[in-house]
Amino acid sequence: MQHISRRQALLGLGALTLAVAGCGEDEAPKKAADVSANKAGAMANYGVNQQFKATEPISFDVLYNNHPFYPDKSDWLFWQELTKRTNVTLKPVEVPLSDYDKKRGLLVGSGQAPLIIPKTYHPAEEAFVSSGAILPVSDYFDLMPNFKDKVAKWKMEAELDTLRQADGRIYLLPGLHEEVWVDYSLAVRTDILEKHKLAVPKTWDELYEVLKALKKEYPDLYPMTDRFGVPTPGGNLFKLVAQAYGAKGGWEYQHATFDSTAGKFVYTGAMPQYKQMLEYLAKLVKEKLLDPESFTQQDEQAKQKFNSGKSFVISANAQSIVNDYRPTLTKLVPGAKVAKIPVLMGPVGDYKIGTRLENGVMISKKALENKNFVAMMQFIDWLWYSDQGEEFAKWGVEGTTYTKDASGTYKIAKDIDFVGLNPGAPKHLQKDFGFSNGVFAYGGTTKLLNSTFSEEEVAFQDVMNARKPWPVEPPHPFNDEEREQATLWETPLKDYVTQQTLKFVLGERDLSEWDAYVKELEGKNMTSYISLVNSAYERFKKDHG
């Protein structure tokens, strides 16, 4: 795979230079708004890893994704200490996690959204670009020294390019990871493998052999059941298997995948590699190695099967091992052991597939009218992108919620628990203090990321970090007219791919009908859609790359 050349404008040439670089030959230069009159509360000499503190007390509304595991509390130490350190008071506009995306869309579309809109995953921001409801944040990167520093230091220009819209601008401030972070994989009952003298699988073919051996020992059980199938069928499992063949599936499914050999995008759901994923999974289901309910059952059903010893393999991330499996499993099945294994490999080899970008922050267009706009951008830069802000959001207050020794190793306070670091402690870092909150704590150095991991999770990350990162795909942003047309095509295409994927995997449709399926996609404008994608890709490459 290949990607277009990286533009260095965002690393210090200034907002105006960046805006000019984001214009095609026939377009007028896009200029950043003059914010010289909106500096109230801003620091005159704010810089990298410098504590931001507004020169006067200020406050901003923030859209708040209210997580049911740690619902917002007004007396959290997070809110109090944040104001103490920055002179900024955040006023959360609470929206339930279950309704966040829909409510955010309604608020932004109606112009009623708070100034700061976090927890937005690309490409969700694209829906608000043409209306001008959100700011082209790349025009204001010069107000964010920590953001720019990390992009330059970690060579993240290519990743940022994937966020650019047809005008060359970026409308979402993403979380930045130093390295690709892989969290989701499979959990296996290692005690069962040991009992039957089976090695921990390293490839999908080896998993197939392990499941066959377990089926022979436990003919009345499905050796594997899965979760994360609602609302996206096969969310994690399809993603992982597709990656192994060089495609995109499940949570990661996108209509277009870049074919580096051909130098153009192809339709993902019609790729030979996508078919290979289906063939593999259909084989597991047909041979009764994989529970056919895996793709549609609720998580609780899947967990119940696994934790009661009725299956031995299930999707997992670091927290599910600690919170969902081990405590219940070891109570119900004495002597049981479970571990998250490194992501299984397939034909593409030992790649680590993922992104260094996280969900991010949109800024309402109303922010430009706020006298504290510059201070707000400095504040966002400190909280989400400075080393100190990221440490604060994740760990809290040194001496109260954690300690740190001379080597920089973090240790949670004795009376506080988080992800099983201190099981049985009376307080919880998220529930009682508001730290490690998904609205504010993501991104940062690998050392900070690993700081809350158990030894077994660090070992998992060491294996994954030794693998080669998958190349970044080139941008192909649509202009307004193309986006309108693409939107009409995308939903029926996605729905049909999802529907037929399940039918193929469950054996309700034979894979001998693959060619007929591809023709059916053509009947739903697949070819026209991919032509649109490639036109956008070629235009963007010509104008910007």
Side-chain angles (χ1 to χ4, degrees):
M1 298 175 75
Q2 64 187 45
H3 53 73
I4 66 173
S5 60
R6 299 171 177 177
R7 295 170 302 284
Q8 300 297 322
L10 63 94
L11 299 179
L13 299 181
L16 177 58
T17 304
L18 177 63
V20 172
C23 299
E25 294 175 2
D26 300 326
E27 298 177 22
K30 301 287 198 304
K31 292 185 179 182
D34 180 3
V35 295
S36 58
N38 302 79
K39 293 184 176 180
M43 292 176 62
N45 298 301
Y46 173 65
V48 175
N49 285 326
Q50 179 180 356
Q51 174 63 54
F52 168 78
K53 189 157 190 177
T55 59
E56 61 186 55
I58 52 180
S59 65
F60 303 111
D61 290 343
V62 58
L63 195 62
Y64 184 82
N65 187 347
N66 208 12
H67 200 294
F69 184 70
Y70 48 92
D72 178 36
K73 295 179 181 177
S74 60
D75 63 349
W76 270 346
L77 181 60
F78 173 83
W79 301 121
Q80 299 167 12
E81 186 70 19
L82 184 67
T83 300
K84 178 181 175 183
R85 295 188 185 194
T86 66
N87 217 9
V88 172
T89 299
L90 286 182
K91 298 179 179 178
V93 177
E94 297 176 3
V95 177
L97 171 66
S98 60
D99 201 33
Y100 189 75
D101 288 353
K102 181 180 179 181
K103 184 70 172 177
R104 180 189 59 209
L106 292 172
L107 288 170
V108 175
S110 66
Q112 302 302 308
L115 298 187
I116 303 173
I117 312 163
K119 207 66 178 177
T120 299
Y121 288 87
H122 176 73
E125 80 281 9
E126 292 179 355
F128 313 114
V129 170
S130 61
S131 68
I134 58 173
L135 286 186
V137 288
S138 54
D139 287 357
Y140 308 100
F141 282 168
D142 275 359
L143 301 177
M144 305 183 69
N146 289 290
F147 176 87
K148 286 174 53 176
D149 178 64
K150 282 184 166 58
V151 169
K153 188 164 51 181
W154 296 343
K155 297 180 172 59
M156 298 189 70
E157 299 89 346
E159 281 96 334
L160 283 192
D161 281 349
T162 65
L163 303 179
R164 293 190 186 277
Q165 300 303 308
D167 61 3
R169 293 158 138 184
I170 295 171
Y171 290 76
L172 178 71
L173 285 168
L176 307 176
H177 285 290
E178 183 178 6
E179 296 181 90
V180 172
W181 172 38
V182 176
D183 187 16
Y184 286 82
S185 184
L186 298 179
V188 301
R189 283 279 303 278
T190 52
D191 60 307
I192 294 293
L193 297 188
E194 292 165 5
K195 178 180 178 180
H196 300 293
K197 297 181 172 55
L198 297 169
V200 173
K202 295 182 179 179
T203 67
W204 290 100
D205 286 344
E206 289 178 8
L207 176 68
Y208 170 67
E209 296 299 332
V210 166
L211 294 177
K212 277 207 307 183
L214 292 176
K215 183 67 176 179
K216 187 175 180 181
E217 296 290 341
Y218 307 91
D220 297 332
L221 301 180
Y222 288 108
M224 180 176 180
T225 195
D226 207 32
R227 61 184 296 193
F228 303 132
V230 178
T232 305
N236 183 54
L237 184 59
F238 286 175
K239 181 191 81 167
L240 295 179
V241 180
Q243 286 179 349
Y245 288 100
K248 300 168 186 169
W251 285 333
E252 202 174 52
Y253 184 83
Q254 295 177 30
H255 292 281
T257 297
F258 192 68
D259 182 337
S260 59
T261 303
K264 63 181 182 180
F265 284 89
V266 296
Y267 192 76
T268 303
M271 292 171 63
Q273 296 93 328
Y274 195 84
K275 181 185 179 185
Q276 289 177 299
M277 173 198 79
L278 299 179
E279 289 171 333
Y280 177 85
L281 290 166
K283 177 173 65 173
L284 296 191
V285 171
K286 183 178 181 180
E287 298 184 23
K288 298 185 177 180
L289 307 179
L290 174 62
D291 182 356
E293 294 182 352
S294 293
F295 313 109
T296 53
Q297 67 187 346
Q298 296 291 330
D299 280 9
E300 285 305 316
Q301 293 174 275
K303 289 190 290 183
Q304 187 176 24
K305 292 174 183 178
F306 184 78
N307 289 335
S308 62
K310 293 180 180 177
S311 69
F312 312 116
V313 181
I314 192 171
S315 281
N317 64 6
Q319 292 204 32
S320 59
I321 291 286
V322 174
N323 296 331
D324 296 341
Y325 306 145
R326 191 167 285 147
T328 305
L329 179 63
T330 52
K331 286 180 183 177
L332 297 177
V333 185
K337 294 190 293 184
V338 60
K340 187 176 78 165
I341 63 174
V343 174
L344 298 174
M345 293 179 287
V348 301
D350 60 342
Y351 277 99
K352 175 175 58 172
I353 301 177
T355 177
R356 292 191 291 170
L357 302 183
E358 258 286 1
N359 66 78
V361 179
M362 295 188 296
I363 307 295
S364 169
K365 68 174 182 181
K366 296 183 297 185
L368 278 180
E369 304 164 8
N370 191 294
K371 66 177 183 178
N372 303 122
F373 175 74
V374 173
M376 185 187 76
M377 298 303 290
Q378 291 177 343
F379 167 77
I380 291 171
D381 180 65
W382 179 83
L383 179 57
W384 273 280
Y385 299 104
S386 75
D387 290 347
Q388 299 95 325
E390 290 171 340
E391 179 184 73
F392 165 73
K394 190 177 187 73
W395 276 101
V397 179
E398 189 169 5
T400 300
T401 57
Y402 75 98
T403 57
K404 189 165 64 168
D405 64 22
S407 67
T409 301
Y410 297 84
K411 187 171 183 179
I412 199 162
K414 292 181 180 179
D415 61 342
I416 301 174
D417 185 30
F418 176 59
V419 293
L421 292 174
N422 209 357
K427 299 176 184 176
H428 193 276
L429 188 64
Q430 293 170 309
K431 295 178 182 180
D432 298 306
F433 297 92
F435 298 109
S436 282
N437 184 323
V439 176
F440 305 108
Y442 48 83
T445 64
T446 300
K447 183 174 182 179
L448 183 66
L449 174 69
N450 290 351
S451 65
T452 58
F453 290 161
S454 63
E455 289 184 11
E456 65 176 324
E457 180 62 18
V458 170
F460 171 90
Q461 294 297 332
D462 286 345
V463 172
M464 296 308 301
N465 287 337
R467 298 183 184 180
K468 297 171 288 188
W470 193 256
V472 178
E473 289 192 339
H476 56 278
F478 295 131
N479 60 32
D480 291 347
E481 183 180 345
E482 290 166 339
R483 166 50 56 200
E484 185 176 350
Q485 179 61 72
T487 300
L488 295 175
W489 289 336
E490 284 173 342
T491 298
L493 277 168
K494 176 72 177 293
D495 289 347
Y496 198 70
V497 169
T498 300
Q499 176 194 89
Q500 298 304 308
T501 293
L502 272 179
K503 286 189 173 184
F504 281 129
V505 169
L506 294 174
E508 296 172 5
R509 185 173 188 181
D510 195 273
L511 276 154
S512 62
E513 296 184 29
W514 175 260
D515 290 344
Y517 155 74
V518 173
K519 287 182 180 178
E520 290 156 11
L521 289 176
E522 289 173 354
K524 295 183 181 298
N525 300 299
M526 173 187 75
T527 302
S528 298
Y529 178 83
I530 283 298
S531 294
L532 202 66
V533 170
N534 281 309
S535 295
Y537 160 59
E538 292 294 342
R539 180 185 64 244
F540 192 88
K541 183 170 63 170
K542 176 177 177 290
D543 289 348
H544 307 294

